[in-house]
């Protein structure tokens, strides 16, 4: 079982200690191996921790400081795109900044006794989804492609090509495998067969029109107009569940 | 009389051409083209009808012209039909839909059939009687009356729908005002109470009464039953509506959450946005309220290439027939309009949308075109 790194940040030292204890109780109850790091000042948080942080419980308001929880969240998001961010606060504000940093949940401080456990477990489940990989065989070597980074699969005769985001560029991986099998494996993970030769990751769809689909990186692929209505519905419902 | 009918017929045809061309963009070549098309359309229908009757009755041109009243009745019917045709084309351009179109065509078709049957009875004779001729004229004129009635009924129905929409908007705005006023009074009271509470805690601590101070603070915390939250999307309308509806949801024990980016660039009409969002959230709250399990409501509004809008709620099983969902509400005039209003607004804004029930959740998702792209 991998060690989970949990960051807790709050300007109230009493609450900070209590929160760390509450989280420890939940982790012990579910036999989860984790290290809880507590900070009351964002400048004390080392960059190395931000990079390996799996989950963060952040207070939004730091009245006596020049920063707030959003600043910490932004910094965390820059260093670590997978971290699950949960804002813990007295006053929930559904703000556009929350969307910017992909906040997972908002937890009211007075609801912590009732909701912390469920929130933490859901967060860990979400983390597993974010870190899911898809194994492919190339030259008898198994390569695990991060599902989040796969843009799309293309069928080319008897092979399939996976186009994967890698450090800002797109890297193709060619391997043997019918697209229908890949579709069956990844349908539940947000992949959509928009055309006979293309299986697309819905996370990366920027625009979906009747004959064209545009993905991250301005990649334009042809779409099947016959199945457009049905698939567009699927895409919209999937987007609503994210 | 023939001359009088000739001029009346010419006037009707001219009117038909004008009706056909009405609404053409004011560019000279578009107007010219439209006039040409209008004249051709009117000529085709008028003369097409006459030719049709002649072939149906097996009359040569000479036979037809010799039956003065008969030919007058047929020619004037052709002219009236050309006007009806031009009227229908005009209404299609302005958004007449299937049902209204059929209604507009019904009387002209039936009256034409009645006219032909009447004329048929005179086939073996030299001409129709004057009484029959005037009956034909009255039948032809009543086509115009029927068109007028259908048009007025449609306008009245649309006005009724607008009134319901307006009534809903007024209701929503009244609820917002009441909610704002309540919040303001509560805020004033809270500020007043907060000072007194702070003083109490201060005196308790000063007197060394830690235990009672802790107990007192605990009571204060327990007393805060209303969940405090706000919405800040950059769009005041969305903020106000979501805030108001979420307050109502929390009061019913519904766990509501919102996800949205910068929505300041939404270019949908304000009144439509208010009614759309309010109806969607009201329906979701109502559906959740009937659910015996965990009551959850999730709302997403993301502005990117277009405006993505999703409302999902836990709900007892619901059957969705296309755009129709059987309502469990007590019959009340506005309730049936809720979903229809949602669909109407979305259709008017050329949105792609769908409803479904799956795995214990009722889901609505839509993509609405937006000129301005969003951010964040």
């Amino acid at each position: 079982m991998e060690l989970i790194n949990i960051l807790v940040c709050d300007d109230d030292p009493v609450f900070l200690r209590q929160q760390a204890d509450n989280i420890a109780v939940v982790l012990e109850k579910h036999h989860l191996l984790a290290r809880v790091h507590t900070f009351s000042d964002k400048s004390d948080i080392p960059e190395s921790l931000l990079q390996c942080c799996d989950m963060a419980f952040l207070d939004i308001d730091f009245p006596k400081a020049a920063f707030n929880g959003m600043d910490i969240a932004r910094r965390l998001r820059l260093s670590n795109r997978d971290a699950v961010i949960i804002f813990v606060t007295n006053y929930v504000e559904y703000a556009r900044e929350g969307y910017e940093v992909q906040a997972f949940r908002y937890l009211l401080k007075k609801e912590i006794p009732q909701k912390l456990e469920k929130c933490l477990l859901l967060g860990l489940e979400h983390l597993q989804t974010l870190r899911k990989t898809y194994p492919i065989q190339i030259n008898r070597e198994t390569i695990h492609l991060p599902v989040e980074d796969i843009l799309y699969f293309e069928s080319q005769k008897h092979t399939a090509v996976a186009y994967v985001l890698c450090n800002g560029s797109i890297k193709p991986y060619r391997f043997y495998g019918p697209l229908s099998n890949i579709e069956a494996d990844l349908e539940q993970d947000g992949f959509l067969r928009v055309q006979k030769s293309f299986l697309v990751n819905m996370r990366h769809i920027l625009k979906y029109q009747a004959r064209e689909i545009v993905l991250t990186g301005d990649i334009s692929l042809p779409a099947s107009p016959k199945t457009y209505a049905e698939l567009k519905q699927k895409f919209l419902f999937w987007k609503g569940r994210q | 009389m023939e001359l009088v009918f000739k001029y009346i017929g010419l006037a009707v045809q001219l009117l038909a051409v004008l009706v056909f061309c009405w609404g053409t963009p004011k560019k000279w070549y578009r107007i010219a083209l439209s006039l040409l098309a209008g004249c051709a359309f009117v000529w085709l229908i008028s003369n097409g009808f006459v030719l049709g009757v002649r072939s149906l009755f097996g009359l040569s041109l000479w036979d037809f012209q010799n039956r003065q009243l008969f030919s007058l009745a047929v020619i004037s019917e052709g002219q009236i039909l050309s006007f009806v045709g031009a009227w229908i084309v005009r209404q299609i351009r302005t958004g007449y839909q299937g049902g209204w179109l059929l209604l507009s065509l019904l009387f002209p078709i039936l009256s034409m059939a009645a006219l032909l049957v009447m004329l048929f009875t005179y086939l073996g004779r030299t001409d129709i009687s004057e009484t029959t001729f005037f009956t034909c004229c009255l039948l032809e004129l009543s086509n115009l009356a029927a068109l007028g009635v259908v048009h007025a009924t449609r306008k009245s129905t649309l006005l009724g729908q607008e009134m319901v929409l307006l009534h809903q908007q007024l209701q929503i705005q009244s609820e917002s005002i009441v909610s704002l006023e309540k919040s303001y009074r509560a805020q004033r009271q809270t500020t007043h109470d907060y000072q007194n509470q702070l003083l109490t805690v201060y005196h308790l601590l000063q007197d060394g009464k830690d235990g009672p101070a802790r107990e007192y603070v605990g009571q204060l915390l327990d007393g805060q039953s209303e969940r405090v939250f706000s919405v800040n999307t950059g769009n005041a309308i969305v903020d106000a509506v979501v805030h108001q509806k979420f307050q109502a949801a929390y009061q019913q024990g519904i766990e509501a959450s919102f996800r949205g980016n910068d929505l300041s660039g939404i270019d949908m009409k304000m009144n439509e946005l208010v009614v759309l969002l309010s109806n969607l959230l009201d329906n979701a709250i109502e559906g959740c309220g009937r659910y015996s399990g965990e009551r959850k409501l999730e709302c997403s509004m993301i502005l990117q290439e277009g405006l993505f809008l999703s409302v999902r709620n836990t709900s007892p099983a619901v059957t969705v027939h296309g755009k129709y969902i059987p309502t469990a509400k007590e019959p009340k005039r506005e309730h049936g309009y809720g979903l229809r209003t949602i669909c109407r607004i979305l259709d008017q804004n050329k949105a792609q949308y769908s409803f479904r029930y799956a795995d214990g959740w009722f889901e609505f998702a839509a993509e609405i075109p937006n000129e301005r792209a969003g951010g964040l």
Side-chain angles (χ1 to χ4, degrees), chain A residues 110 115 118 232 241, chain B residues 224 230 255 294 352 356:
Chain A
K110 64 174 186 171
K115 295 193 176 170
K118 191 173 180 185
K232 184 75 187 262
R241 289 197 299 275
Chain B
Q224 282 191 359
S230 75
E255 182 71 36
E294 206 178 350
Q352 291 173 310
R356 78 170 181 185

Side-chain angles (χ1 to χ4, degrees), chain B residues 72-102:
Chain B
L72 263 177
V74 171
I75 290 168
S76 54
E77 175 68 6
Q79 287 160 347
I80 294 285
L81 282 178
S82 70
F83 180 84
V84 169
W87 174 265
I88 300 288
V89 166
R90 162 102 186 97
Q91 299 315 317
I92 289 169
R93 277 204 209 127
T94 55
Y96 252 45
Q97 288 180 350
W100 291 110
L101 218 57
L102 281 170

Side-chain angles (χ1 to χ4, degrees), chain B residues 93-230:
Chain B
R93 277 204 209 127
T94 55
Y96 252 45
Q97 288 180 350
W100 291 110
L101 218 57
L102 281 170
L103 213 57
S104 300
L105 285 170
L106 192 63
F107 194 85
I109 292 171
L110 290 175
S111 68
M112 184 179 69
L115 185 114
L116 290 174
V117 165
M118 254 196 307
L119 295 176
F120 194 76
T121 59
Y122 283 87
L123 200 55
R125 306 184 201 181
T126 50
D127 205 350
I128 59 174
S129 68
E130 281 180 8
T131 318
T132 308
F133 174 72
F134 282 115
T135 310
C136 290
C137 291
L138 285 172
L139 208 56
E140 287 156 16
L141 285 171
S142 58
N143 277 308
L144 302 177
L147 279 183
V149 166
V150 168
H151 186 63
T153 310
R154 180 174 174 259
K155 268 183 104 172
S156 171
T157 309
L158 286 175
L159 196 65
Q161 285 172 353
E162 290 291 330
M163 292 301 287
V164 169
L165 201 67
L166 197 64
H167 176 73
Q168 276 199 331
Q169 283 172 40
L170 286 170
Q171 211 171 9
I172 289 158
Q173 279 167 352
S174 302
E175 284 169 12
S176 294
I177 290 165
V178 167
S179 172
L180 272 167
E181 198 250 348
K182 254 175 92 172
S183 295
Y184 174 66
R185 274 194 285 119
Q187 186 59 42
R188 273 177 55 184
Q189 188 63 37
T190 304
T191 308
H192 181 259
D193 291 346
Y194 181 62
Q195 298 215 335
N196 290 337
Q197 286 150 6
L198 273 178
L199 270 169
T200 308
V201 172
Y202 175 73
H203 287 307
L204 282 170
L205 290 171
Q206 219 183 16
D207 294 344
K209 293 175 183 170
D210 289 1
R214 256 198 300 276
E215 208 181 299
Y216 183 67
V217 170
Q219 281 172 4
L220 289 176
L221 284 169
D222 285 341
Q224 282 191 359
S225 56
E226 199 174 288
R227 199 177 204 233
V228 285
F229 72 97
S230 75

Side-chain angles (χ1 to χ4, degrees), chain A residues 90-96 99-100 108 110-111 115 118 228 232-233 236-237 239-242, chain B residues 224 227-230 232 255-256 258-261 294 302 308 310 312 352 354 356 363 367 376:
Chain A
N90 285 315
Y91 184 79
V92 175
E93 186 179 67
Y94 294 115
R96 31 199 163 158
Y99 180 83
E100 179 197 339
L108 276 179
K110 64 174 186 171
E111 289 178 348
K115 295 193 176 170
K118 191 173 180 185
Y228 171 68
K232 184 75 187 262
Q233 266 189 30
L236 290 177
F237 286 129
K239 204 169 169 179
R241 289 197 299 275
Q242 298 314 295
Chain B
Q224 282 191 359
R227 199 177 204 233
V228 285
F229 72 97
S230 75
N232 178 9
E255 182 71 36
F258 179 81
R259 181 176 68 118
N261 64 349
E294 206 178 350
I302 299 161
F308 172 75
S310 160
R312 341 175 37 238
Q352 291 173 310
S354 194
R356 78 170 181 185
E363 298 179 309
E367 194 171 80
L376 283 178

